[in-house]
Amino acid sequence: MGKTTAEKIFDAHTVDRPFGDITVIRLDAVFCHEITTPIAINDLVKRGKDRVFDPDKIKVVIDHVTPAKDSKTAMQGKILRDWARRNHIKDFFDIGRNGVCHALFPEKGFARPGYTIIMGDSHTCTHGAFGAFAAGVGTTDLEVGILKGVCAFHYPKSIKININGRLKKGVYAKDVILSIIGKMGVNGATNKVIEFTGNVVDDMAMEERMTLCNMAVEAGATCGICYPDMTTVSYLWEFIKGDYLSTEAALEDYQQFRADPDALYDNIIGLDVSSLEPQMTYGFKPDQVKPVSEMAGLPVDQVYIGSCTNGRLEDLRIAARVLKGNRISDSVRAIVSPATPKIYNEALQEGIIGIFMDAGFCVTNPTCGACLGMSNGVLADGEVCASTTNRNFNGRMGKGGMVHLMSPATAAASAITGFITNSALFEKIGG
Amino acid sequence: MKNFSGNVLFLDRSDINTDEIIPAKYLTENSKEALKPYLLEDLVLKGFDPRKDISGKHVVVTRGNFGCGSSREHAPWAFEVNDINMVIGEGFARIFKQNMFNCGMMAVELSPDTIDHIFKTCGGKATTIETDFGSQCMIIRADGFEEKIVFSISGFDKALVEKGGWVEYADLNY
Ligand code: SF4
């Protein structure tokens, strides 16, 4: 019998099967940020076990609140910084070099096909875009990962979603994943891995695959996975060229993590996205999804473009195409947070930052900030935000605020008018 | 082993997420104890007032997909420091459930019918649950009503509760 991608990765990493299908796997990377790691560090210190299983496999960033906004967040940064230093963790990204974890770490080549990755962050599923098994965990799992380099999971069950057809102009990976979550529900993939396949996924750039996998957890999934292909190899080439004689050789090696045709799935879903319209959420749950056209005209107070879902260069390019030559409405304030310094710099070189500024956007440093209502754009009670982030829970961006999730194109169009607007009105995409 | 018995707090809704259990703005705390006053602060639920209804409760009974959303272990910790070590529901988000057992706490799944039955017979009444971990059963009592309910948790989850959590377990075995 064939195996799914997650099964292949698990079988190559199994350390122990202590009970039933519980599988303790060896970890290739443990990612850390300043919100969920400090308590693990404090606990390790308290236990007299202030050490790490392998300093080269631990990657650390301060991203959620940066620069620190108060004494407490400054202390979180300090705990992380001091710990990284005394444990000789060289991949530590402090302000100036930091960015949103799930955008920064892929950019550094830390996510690879076949890898097992954990992080104390639910959107760790993003890294599955590289054909890795990457899962969000709590602080205790993280603590054991840091100390022992292992983590326990149920042996993975998978759902395959075959996405075929041709996306219309103005419809993006974000619209695809929102429509999928709308269909599956917030609980539709709980305890499952989602494999995203089909010609639409094959045609996607790594950035779009990351957008897709990023929101897998909003349907409850442990991880979203795309098969490694030449797109993956090209993205990673600068990091792996010492390991392989050619890109073809790398691809051949990575093929071992493609699911077998006769692999067993819990469910196989076929989706033709050719007639899909731009989508957005309307409530406090990510599965409350409607076409943007049905929500058009709803006033917004703030527009936010950024996050690990849609703060990458291609997202900024898409928004800039809509914004170019326009100004945002006087009734809104708009914020863009390029997800990493590299993205920021490239956007600057391409003139994209200028377009945002001319339109009236505030450009912030790379950070999560507003996405989780911590800093850089917290909503007031009763305010509405058109946002490219991934979570619209009640209070997510500020107590009493409403968050509508959408693509960068829709968010940019909504910034121009001051109300929910289909980007088609503004988008100037050549053929 | 922790205590899994006591007065019940009913939270009659599905999909209660970790932002509702403990809002992100409190994630800047570096100790579990500091979370105590903020448990369920942002949960808007008819008839529920976090300032009055949490104190003295030791067990939560809720519906489906409890603990969805962020991976923050601050959610189980906020329960733990309020002396609530057990949540009973139809189902849980993966990370939340694992976090509970990793802390030596329990997330117990019962069938939707059983949960519904508990809400119908006990909801709104002063209710207690007495848990016998060894025989995996609990007695639920409310206003003259008494019923024994059998539950099952996996061998791994049982071992985590007995050892006091995943750090202790992993330290012994790996
Ligand atoms: S951008 Fe938002 S969703 Fe992504 S890691 Fe940061 S806080 Fe979490």
Side-chain angles (χ1 to χ4, degrees):
Chain A
M1 196 181 61
K3 290 179 189 165
T4 63
T5 294
E7 286 172 336
K8 289 184 175 191
I9 296 173
F10 266 57
D11 290 352
H13 289 80
T14 302
V15 171
D16 190 16
R17 296 278 301 248
F19 295 92
D21 76 330
I22 296 292
T23 311
V24 178
I25 54 169
R26 176 174 53 76
L27 299 171
D28 294 310
V30 177
F31 294 165
C32 301
H33 65 53
E34 87 280 18
I35 296 292
T36 51
T37 317
I39 293 190
I41 295 170
N42 289 347
D43 195 61
L44 286 169
V45 170
K46 206 171 84 193
R47 290 172 190 270
K49 295 179 192 300
D50 181 21
R51 45 181 197 265
V52 302
F53 83 107
D54 183 343
D56 292 339
K57 291 185 175 157
I58 298 184
K59 315 291 180 186
V60 188
V61 67
I62 297 176
D63 63 350
H64 276 57
V65 187
T66 177
K69 70 182 170 90
D70 54 21
S71 308
K72 283 183 178 170
T73 51
M75 183 49 75
Q76 289 184 306
K78 181 174 160 50
I79 293 172
L80 207 63
R81 196 176 288 124
D82 293 349
W83 167 73
R85 270 193 202 131
R86 66 177 184 265
N87 282 292
H88 312 288
I89 296 166
K90 61 178 194 314
D91 290 315
F92 170 65
F93 300 92
D94 211 329
I95 192 150
R97 292 170 293 124
N98 63 0
V100 176
C101 50
H102 309 307
L104 184 77
F105 292 152
E107 205 176 73
K108 300 284 176 193
F110 297 158
R112 308 269 179 94
Y115 266 26
T116 52
I117 302 169
I118 63 164
M119 179 173 198
D121 192 286
S122 61
H123 294 102
T124 307
C125 52
T126 312
H127 308 276
F130 290 83
F133 175 82
V137 296
T139 293
T140 302
D141 273 336
L142 182 73
E143 185 174 335
V144 170
I146 288 168
L147 186 64
K148 305 272 175 183
V150 299
C151 195
F153 291 94
H154 287 277
Y155 193 71
K157 293 188 171 128
S158 299
I159 296 172
K160 179 150 121 173
I161 306 185
N162 246 317
I163 310 171
N164 288 300
R166 190 156 177 234
L167 288 175
K168 287 202 251 185
K169 271 186 207 170
V171 180
Y172 301 95
K174 182 64 161 283
D175 302 298
V176 173
I177 189 64
L178 282 174
S179 82
I180 289 172
I181 296 163
K183 287 194 181 78
M184 294 185 94
V186 288
N187 200 11
T190 299
N191 288 321
K192 313 271 165 64
V193 170
I194 302 177
E195 280 184 14
F196 294 105
T197 66
N199 77 288
V200 172
V201 182
D202 293 343
D203 291 345
M204 282 182 178
M206 286 315 300
E207 287 74 9
E208 297 171 279
R209 294 180 192 179
M210 285 189 250
T211 301
L212 207 57
C213 292
N214 176 268
M215 289 195 72
V217 70
E218 305 308 331
T222 308
C223 183
I225 285 182
C226 301
Y227 301 153
D229 59 7
M230 211 25 129
T231 305
T232 323
V233 171
S234 308
Y235 184 101
L236 289 173
W237 186 241
E238 60 172 303
F239 308 105
I240 59 173
K241 60 183 175 215
D243 303 341
Y244 297 100
L245 286 173
S246 64
T247 52
E248 287 74 24
L251 181 61
E252 198 185 314
D253 183 27
Y254 290 160
Q255 294 294 343
Q256 61 176 304
F257 300 112
R258 274 185 99 95
D260 295 320
D262 57 341
L264 263 193
Y265 293 90
D266 260 42
N267 196 2
I268 299 178
I269 299 167
L271 214 62
D272 188 324
V273 292
S274 302
S275 58
L276 187 72
E277 300 287 327
Q279 305 285 309
M280 64 179 283
T281 60
Y282 60 86
F284 290 129
K285 279 167 43 176
D287 61 356
Q288 294 174 312
V289 174
K290 276 185 185 170
V292 170
S293 55
E294 288 179 29
M295 297 284 288
L298 185 93
V300 301
D301 301 292
Q302 176 169 300
V303 172
Y304 182 69
I305 297 179
S307 88
C308 57
T309 322
N310 285 119
R312 299 186 181 82
L313 186 61
E314 188 53 28
D315 301 312
L316 305 193
R317 284 185 185 135
I318 289 165
R321 278 205 294 265
V322 175
L323 289 170
K324 193 164 186 185
N326 292 298
R327 272 199 66 81
I328 64 167
S329 161
D330 288 341
S331 63
V332 295
R333 52 187 195 271
I335 300 166
V336 57
S337 301
T340 70
K342 182 167 179 243
I343 294 165
Y344 197 147
N345 204 13
E346 284 171 356
L348 206 58
Q349 308 295 326
E350 287 185 22
I352 290 170
I353 297 295
I355 294 173
F356 274 107
M357 293 187 76
D358 288 345
F361 267 69
C362 161
V363 185
T364 82
N365 65 304
T367 176
C368 297
C371 171
L372 78 164
M374 292 281 255
S375 62
N376 278 19
V378 180
L379 301 178
D381 193 5
E383 285 191 322
V384 175
C385 184
S387 176
T388 68
T389 54
N390 49 33
R391 214 160 250 171
N392 55 344
F393 296 159
N394 189 5
R396 172 75 179 180
M397 290 180 81
K399 199 172 174 119
M402 167 61 88
V403 182
H404 296 299
L405 309 176
M406 60 189 70
S407 75
T410 309
S414 304
I416 296 166
T417 59
F419 44 81
I420 298 296
T421 302
N422 212 318
S423 66
L425 284 178
F426 295 96
E427 222 157 346
K428 304 172 250 338
I429 309 173
Chain B
M1 222 165 52
K2 292 188 175 350
N3 167 46
F4 303 112
S5 299
N7 296 329
V8 176
L9 170 64
F10 288 101
L11 300 175
D12 193 1
R13 210 198 80 199
S14 282
D15 304 320
I16 291 176
N17 64 62
T18 51
D19 275 80
E20 290 169 311
I21 298 170
I22 185 82
K25 60 175 182 259
Y26 302 120
L27 304 187
T28 60
E29 300 294 347
N30 288 319
S31 83
K32 300 179 186 180
E33 287 69 28
L35 304 172
K36 191 167 183 203
Y38 312 120
L39 176 65
L40 296 167
E41 187 184 87
D42 274 357
L43 180 66
V44 184
L45 200 60
K46 212 171 148 247
F48 172 66
D49 181 350
R51 284 161 304 179
K52 290 194 203 123
D53 298 339
I54 292 171
S55 144
K57 304 292 179 4
H58 301 289
V59 177
V60 166
V61 175
T62 184
R63 299 277 182 176
N65 197 32
F66 187 82
C68 59
S70 129
S71 65
R72 64 189 69 159
E73 202 160 305
H74 305 69
W77 296 334
F79 281 118
E80 188 182 14
V81 295
N82 277 284
D83 285 328
I84 296 172
N85 294 315
M86 179 156 81
V87 181
I88 301 167
E90 291 166 23
F92 299 89
R94 177 189 65 87
I95 303 175
F96 178 83
K97 183 177 174 188
Q98 192 62 53
N99 286 345
M100 288 288 284
F101 285 104
N102 279 351
C103 293
M105 300 160 74
M106 284 216 282
V108 173
E109 287 176 4
L110 298 177
S111 74
D113 286 348
T114 311
I115 292 287
D116 202 51
H117 174 65
I118 297 175
F119 270 105
K120 286 207 171 109
T121 44
C122 309
K125 298 176 192 154
T127 305
T128 61
I129 282 181
E130 196 186 316
T131 303
D132 182 344
F133 182 79
S135 60
Q136 299 203 4
C137 71
M138 54 184 140
I139 296 165
I140 180 158
R141 292 191 184 92
D143 196 11
F145 169 88
E146 184 173 313
E147 194 164 310
K148 185 171 158 185
I149 296 170
V150 177
F151 63 92
S152 90
I153 57 172
S154 75
F156 183 54
D157 291 341
K158 194 160 178 260
L160 292 178
V161 173
E162 282 167 348
K163 290 280 175 312
W166 172 229
V167 179
E168 289 76 3
Y169 182 95
D171 214 29
L172 264 158
N173 292 283
Y174 306 108

